Amino acid sequence: MAPTLAVSFNDSSEIIDFVLKKGNGVKGLSEMGLDSLPEQYIQPLEERMCDTITTSQESVPLIDISKWDDPGVAEAICEAAEKWGFFQIINHGVPIEVLENVKEATHLFFGLSAEEKRKYLKELSPSNNVRFGTSFSPEAEKALEWKDYLSLLYVSEDEASALWPSVCRDQVLEYMKRSEIVVRKLLDVLMKNLNVTEIDETKESLLMGSKRINLNYYPICPNPELTVGVGRHSDVSTLTVLLQDDIGGLYVRGNNDSWIHVPPVNGSIVINVGDALQIMSNGRYKSIEHRVIANGSNTRISVPIFINPGPSEKISPFPEVLASGEKAVYKEVLYSDYVKHFFQKAHDGKTTIEFAEI
């Protein structure tokens, strides 16, 4: 018989130690077969995805991008970025095998022993660029999120080869390499719509000077209705490229405060606009609030690639956007300051963008 919470832990500090310091993560809690959710994970009522929250039957656009030369494709991408901030793409050219391999690699990493994963905890990892963790920002959170992750900042192929966990390294690198072609095409289309006709070296560093990939693991949860997989937030990226498995659970903010499910579509990739692109487009492209629910019967994984400005870049609305006399809504901010502000607090909806508002 699986141990209950009362048998396993004497007090809350033991849970924190087990989850955060010993490398067990919430996966370790899940595998104990707990009868009830530890109180550290119980979210305030307003943060839960409960019956009082409206879910919409609408869906974010699904765009076939096989014909890049078709003006209708560019139009659909820009309209989705302006109206929804989220869309799914199919026939994107990243082989299904590459997508499946990186999903399998995610399960392989989280299938490692706690001792093995613990080597990549913030305090023990050989590099700040390779980090295994749990929740979002535990030091700042009143209630923890039901998620473990491996976060990998891409610096170079050499560094990745030397420092990334070997069980998932090659699959992740291949996925990043293949998806970069799509990212460049998407940014090209989105920039032309802003009258930015060329992505030169300066613009490239501004749009995609830094790349981070996360392997996210959401284990089966007791009382999933009391907690969250990921709390309400918008990304701080330029674009986020998300691969999700077939379990579902990602919701995005719709109109009238409703929440729209982003259903898994076989072979698709989810694209969303991040705060950096909202700022650079002066609000034309929308970085939308989203969240992930916990699941009581299935483990879910997802693999987001965050395409970010370089940390030393200063982001502000593009001059090309303001050329017609449009008034700037955002001031210039150092991107590393913006990111620091984001990680210093718990997930709190769309409030991060206020850091850059005039």
Side-chain angles (χ1 to χ4, degrees):
M1 183 179 160
T4 63
L5 186 61
V7 173
S8 311
F9 300 106
N10 294 319
D11 59 41
S12 62
S13 65
E14 286 189 12
I15 293 178
I16 298 298
D17 189 60
F18 176 82
V19 173
L20 294 176
K21 295 178 184 163
K22 291 188 175 160
N24 292 287
V26 283
K27 181 175 186 279
L29 281 182
S30 176
E31 287 171 349
M32 295 179 78
L34 302 178
D35 289 342
S36 59
L37 187 73
E39 64 178 25
Q40 288 86 349
Y41 291 90
I42 297 176
Q43 294 286 332
L45 200 56
E46 65 273 15
E47 295 304 331
R48 300 180 205 165
M49 194 76 166
C50 48
D51 298 337
T52 55
I53 289 177
T54 316
T55 54
S56 169
Q57 294 310 304
E58 288 184 289
S59 56
V60 304
L62 179 67
I63 305 171
D64 181 341
I65 61 169
S66 55
K67 298 190 175 80
W68 279 106
D69 298 335
D70 180 349
V73 170
E75 201 177 301
I77 289 166
C78 295
E79 189 180 309
E82 289 178 11
K83 184 184 172 191
W84 296 89
F86 266 81
F87 53 98
Q88 299 205 62
I89 54 173
I90 53 172
N91 296 323
H92 39 66
V94 182
I96 296 288
E97 185 188 3
V98 171
L99 303 181
E100 292 305 316
N101 286 349
V102 83
K103 286 193 269 190
E104 188 187 336
T106 301
H107 282 288
L108 287 173
F109 174 77
F110 287 100
L112 295 173
S113 67
E115 290 72 30
E116 198 58 37
K117 286 182 294 206
R118 192 170 179 271
K119 293 176 185 173
Y120 300 102
L121 286 171
K122 188 178 176 181
E123 301 77 13
L124 303 172
S125 180
S127 165
N128 282 336
N129 300 336
V130 182
R131 195 169 74 248
F132 166 62
T134 191
S135 193
F136 170 65
S137 195
E139 307 78 20
E141 291 167 323
K142 292 194 176 98
L144 298 172
E145 300 177 351
W146 193 262
K147 180 191 84 170
D148 297 329
Y149 65 86
L150 175 69
S151 188
L152 304 164
L153 181 70
Y154 179 82
V155 174
S156 68
E157 191 116 3
D158 286 348
E159 184 186 279
S161 297
L163 298 177
W164 289 11
S166 58
V167 72
C168 58
R169 177 191 60 221
D170 295 344
Q171 301 92 318
V172 170
L173 282 171
E174 183 65 16
Y175 173 50
M176 288 187 87
K177 205 179 295 176
R178 296 294 194 125
S179 61
E180 185 170 333
I181 301 160
V182 184
V183 168
R184 286 179 182 277
K185 285 180 174 177
L186 287 170
L187 285 174
D188 194 46
V189 163
L190 291 165
M191 288 304 103
K192 283 194 168 75
N193 189 50
L194 298 177
N195 296 320
V196 177
T197 50
E198 187 198 352
I199 301 177
D200 56 17
E201 269 184 50
T202 309
K203 287 277 198 305
E204 182 166 319
S205 181
L206 204 51
L207 291 165
M208 52 188 302
S210 164
K211 290 189 275 293
R212 180 182 292 281
I213 187 162
N214 281 10
L215 310 185
N216 292 332
Y217 190 89
Y218 306 89
I220 292 171
C221 178
N223 314 116
E225 71 287 352
L226 299 180
T227 191
V228 295
V230 177
R232 301 176 300 111
H233 71 288
S234 60
D235 294 345
V236 292
S237 56
T238 301
L239 284 180
T240 301
V241 177
L242 176 78
L243 176 63
Q244 54 173 349
D245 65 10
D246 58 0
I247 301 301
L250 170 65
Y251 284 81
V252 306
R253 176 81 79 178
N255 298 320
N256 309 318
D257 276 351
S258 62
W259 289 90
I260 299 165
H261 187 230
V262 182
V265 174
N266 192 35
S268 77
I269 295 173
V270 181
I271 305 292
N272 66 278
V273 171
D275 289 0
L277 186 54
Q278 177 169 325
I279 291 165
M280 290 187 272
S281 69
N282 204 36
R284 190 178 305 179
Y285 297 141
K286 306 288 190 292
S287 173
I288 298 293
E289 203 179 339
H290 51 286
R291 68 201 303 177
V292 174
I293 61 169
N295 192 305
S297 48
N298 292 292
T299 290
R300 175 181 184 264
I301 58 142
S302 69
V303 185
I305 303 175
F306 301 102
I307 309 295
N308 303 320
S312 60
E313 293 292 341
K314 291 175 177 171
I315 58 171
S316 62
F318 285 126
E320 292 90 338
V321 176
L322 305 178
S324 60
E326 191 177 312
K327 196 177 172 202
V329 184
Y330 303 103
K331 62 190 176 191
E332 183 179 83
V333 293
L334 182 66
Y335 185 65
S336 58
D337 287 347
Y338 191 84
V339 172
K340 194 173 166 190
H341 175 64
F342 177 64
F343 282 104
Q344 274 174 342
K345 55 193 178 56
H347 280 142
D348 56 1
K350 275 288 291 178
T351 61
T352 311
I353 200 93
E354 292 167 10
F355 185 79
E357 286 174 354
I358 290 174

